[in-house]
Amino acid sequence: MMTQMNEQKNEMEISFDAVSQNESFARVAVAAFVTHLNPTMEEIDDVRTAVSEAVTNAIIHGYEKRDCGKVYLHCRLKGDVLQIEVMDKGKGIENIERAMEPLFTTRPDLDRSGMGFAFMEAFMDDLEVESEVGKGTTIRMTKKLGSSAWVDSED
Amino acid sequence: MEEFQVINNYLMIKLPEEVDHHQATTICKKADHYILQQNVSNVVFDFEDTKFMDSSGIGIIMGRYRKISCFGGKVYAIHMDKKMERMFDMAGLNKIVEVLE
Ligand SMILES: Nc1ncnc2c1ncn2[C@@H]1O[C@H](COP(=O)(O)OP(=O)(O)O)[C@@H](O)[C@H]1O
Ligand SMILES: [Mg+2]
């Protein structure tokens, strides 16, 4: 019961230009946002991979590398659950189901592997994709962090 | 920074600390230059310095494999960690890349 009352909440929101230098910036920002939860190295690395995939997709597919849009990154912490939203106002996805198939890519010419969505799905607990052609794409992912959290709840 | 070295018929690529899309663009360009100009037929990817990789790393390897395999070349990978191996397996790269020790 106590754990419920003390459940921590935290939120952060940033937006940045859709340029490839900001891929590492986004990973660092999210990793820093969750450090106080003492996540394991694996958890942090999984989150960094997922953020990198979603942000890279916004830059190269959403805005098609035209360097003329913003990527919106929104993180929420509810207790030890991290929720990440990555949004772009780019071209949108025509067929979401097909886009999410492993190895499917519309840009093999750019040396893309088609594994982005597969990795987001594998390394996070939950993944949701919302997209409208001509309007943009929103990726929502969640992951429970800090495998050591059970220590508090010995009531 | 990534490093390139040609030994006999082999192009050795030491990948940078972070292999993402931003880094991948230059790595692919440089690697293809060596493959075409110096006639190397095999490529070795060395992950010793690499602490982070996303699906862009998988794309680098798939693309180079496509370029050299039609001439009978092979692709090798060394110093991968557990997570990289898992990513390799998920993408089916373990079937086309020889993973060394
Ligand atoms: N934000 C986005 N905007 C538009 N299209 C997208 C977006 N994200 C993904 N896609 C589409 O989904 C496909 C699969 O994405 P992904 O699994 O990350 O593979 P890759 O990025 O290697 O192509 C992309 O090739 C692209 O066509
Ligand atoms: Mg992708």
Side-chain angles (χ1 to χ4, degrees):
Chain A
M1 289 296 120
M2 282 306 283
T3 41
Q4 284 245 323
M5 281 166 69
N6 296 335
E7 194 174 75
Q8 282 190 41
K9 271 196 199 164
N10 196 4
E11 195 169 349
M12 73 102 158
E13 206 171 347
I14 42 177
S15 63
F16 47 85
D17 284 346
V19 292
S20 64
Q21 295 93 293
N22 285 333
E23 291 156 10
S24 62
F25 165 70
R27 294 195 296 270
V28 170
V30 178
F33 179 68
V34 299
T35 39
H36 69 280
L37 285 178
N38 286 322
T40 64
M41 295 288 280
E42 285 83 20
E43 285 169 341
I44 281 279
D45 197 62
D46 288 351
V47 167
R48 278 155 46 89
T49 304
V51 168
S52 201
E53 298 298 351
V55 169
T56 301
N57 280 354
I59 294 170
I60 61 181
H61 303 301
Y63 296 115
E64 297 183 293
K65 300 224 284 184
R66 271 183 275 102
D67 296 356
C68 61
K70 298 252 187 258
V71 181
Y72 303 83
L73 172 64
H74 190 165
C75 293
R76 284 188 203 89
L77 269 174
K78 277 185 196 152
D80 54 4
V81 177
L82 170 66
Q83 196 181 89
I84 304 170
E85 224 174 80
V86 177
M87 201 249 292
D88 67 66
K89 296 179 179 170
K91 72 168 193 177
I93 304 174
E94 258 170 54
N95 185 336
I96 296 175
E97 213 175 303
R98 196 179 53 167
M100 291 179 76
E101 279 171 22
L103 300 173
F104 176 85
T105 180
T106 48
R107 301 308 300 269
D109 56 311
L110 294 178
D111 282 304
R112 304 311 304 163
S113 61
M115 291 302 291
F117 279 127
F119 288 167
M120 287 183 245
E121 220 159 15
F123 299 128
M124 299 292 284
D125 296 339
D126 193 57
L127 169 67
E128 264 173 54
V129 182
E130 199 183 304
S131 190
E132 199 177 326
V133 174
K135 289 258 170 71
T137 302
T138 304
I139 306 297
R140 287 188 196 87
M141 310 180 273
T142 57
K143 190 175 179 73
K144 194 176 178 321
L145 300 175
S147 336
S148 55
W150 57 272
V151 178
D152 310 322
S153 55
E154 54 196 323
D155 48 14
Chain B
M1 267 279 280
E2 70 280 357
E3 285 167 42
F4 294 80
Q5 204 183 347
V6 177
I7 303 170
N8 298 322
N9 219 352
Y10 287 78
L11 172 63
M12 319 280 292
I13 305 177
K14 188 126 194 211
L15 293 160
E17 212 173 286
E18 307 223 306
V19 181
D20 62 3
H21 156 252
H22 181 65
Q23 302 282 342
T25 316
T26 25
I27 296 170
C28 290
K29 229 182 258 162
K30 286 186 188 169
D32 289 350
H33 175 82
Y34 280 99
I35 290 169
L36 294 169
Q37 304 298 310
Q38 309 219 15
N39 277 311
V40 295
S41 43
N42 306 292
V43 181
V44 182
F45 290 97
D46 185 348
F47 290 93
E48 186 164 22
D49 295 341
T50 305
K51 297 199 181 83
F52 174 83
M53 181 176 88
D54 66 19
S55 70
S56 310
I58 303 294
I60 298 176
I61 296 173
M62 282 179 170
R64 286 346 97 208
Y65 174 79
R66 263 184 236 125
K67 290 218 155 67
I68 62 161
S69 62
C70 45
F71 302 108
K74 282 204 74 175
V75 175
Y76 302 85
I78 52 170
H79 297 127
M80 288 203 298
D81 65 24
K82 280 252 156 59
K83 175 148 182 208
M84 291 167 190
E85 276 178 19
R86 187 171 165 210
M87 292 167 113
F88 258 57
D89 292 351
M90 284 175 67
L93 277 189
N94 50 335
K95 289 175 206 130
I96 55 171
V97 176
E98 186 160 333
V99 179
L100 303 171
E101 124 286 357

